[in-house]
Amino acid sequence: MSNYGQNDPNQPYDPNNSGGNDPYGQQGQQGQQPQYGHQYGQQGYGAAPSYDPNTPGGYAGAGPAQESKKAQTALYLSIGGICCGLLSIAGIVMGVQAKTEIKNSGGQLTGDSKAQAAIIIGSVFLVLGVIGNILYWMSR
């Protein structure tokens, strides 16, 4: 029978294994640390990514860019301004808010062109509505 992996129970415990009977087949040397993984003082895996609660997933660069829902809604409201002038005002305000959010998102939000279109379309419909009302009330 083999004594592999077992120490002699009649001998006192030697934490440095100076007797040379290493059960793992390595010759132990007193005072020397085992050579596992990284050496002491060497660089490990690197720094963890920084946490950002404003980005999807919580970490910078997590996930693909998403289209701004506010820009989409602003565009719909601005187009709806053809029926009601108040919708074009709401579309302009939401378009400006969407552009600000997209600019401050650090590339996580897209839809800047939709927000810009909402501002332009809402402005055009608002001006046309004002001119139409002026002409209507002047003709009476």
Side-chain angles (χ1 to χ4, degrees), residues 106-123:
Q108 292 296 315
L109 288 175
T110 62
D112 188 58
S113 58
K114 282 188 180 181
Q116 184 67 38
I119 294 169
I120 293 170
I121 292 170
S123 299

Side-chain angles (χ1 to χ4, degrees), residues 88-101:
S88 62
I89 294 172
I92 293 169
V93 170
M94 283 193 77
V96 170
Q97 290 175 348
K99 281 185 69 81
T100 303
E101 284 182 7

Side-chain angles (χ1 to χ4, degrees), residues 18-104:
S18 58
N21 261 350
D22 188 3
Y24 300 106
Q26 299 171 349
Q27 293 296 320
Q29 294 189 8
Q30 191 166 355
Q32 191 176 31
Q33 294 292 327
Q35 305 279 325
Y36 301 115
H38 295 290
Q39 299 296 316
Y40 295 109
Q42 289 184 347
Q43 182 66 26
Y45 290 105
S50 61
Y51 178 74
D52 184 8
N54 297 324
T55 58
Y59 290 93
Q66 297 178 349
E67 188 172 17
S68 172
K69 304 261 189 260
K70 192 175 274 191
Q72 184 77 32
T73 304
L75 186 60
Y76 290 151
L77 288 172
S78 293
I79 292 171
I82 200 166
C83 299
C84 176
L86 294 177
L87 291 178
S88 62
I89 294 172
I92 293 169
V93 170
M94 283 193 77
V96 170
Q97 290 175 348
K99 281 185 69 81
T100 303
E101 284 182 7
I102 292 167
K103 184 177 80 172
N104 293 335

Side-chain angles (χ1 to χ4, degrees), residues 127-140:
V127 169
L128 289 176
V130 169
I131 292 173
N133 277 318
I134 291 173
L135 292 175
Y136 174 75
W137 289 108
M138 287 179 65
S139 68
R140 288 189 114 194

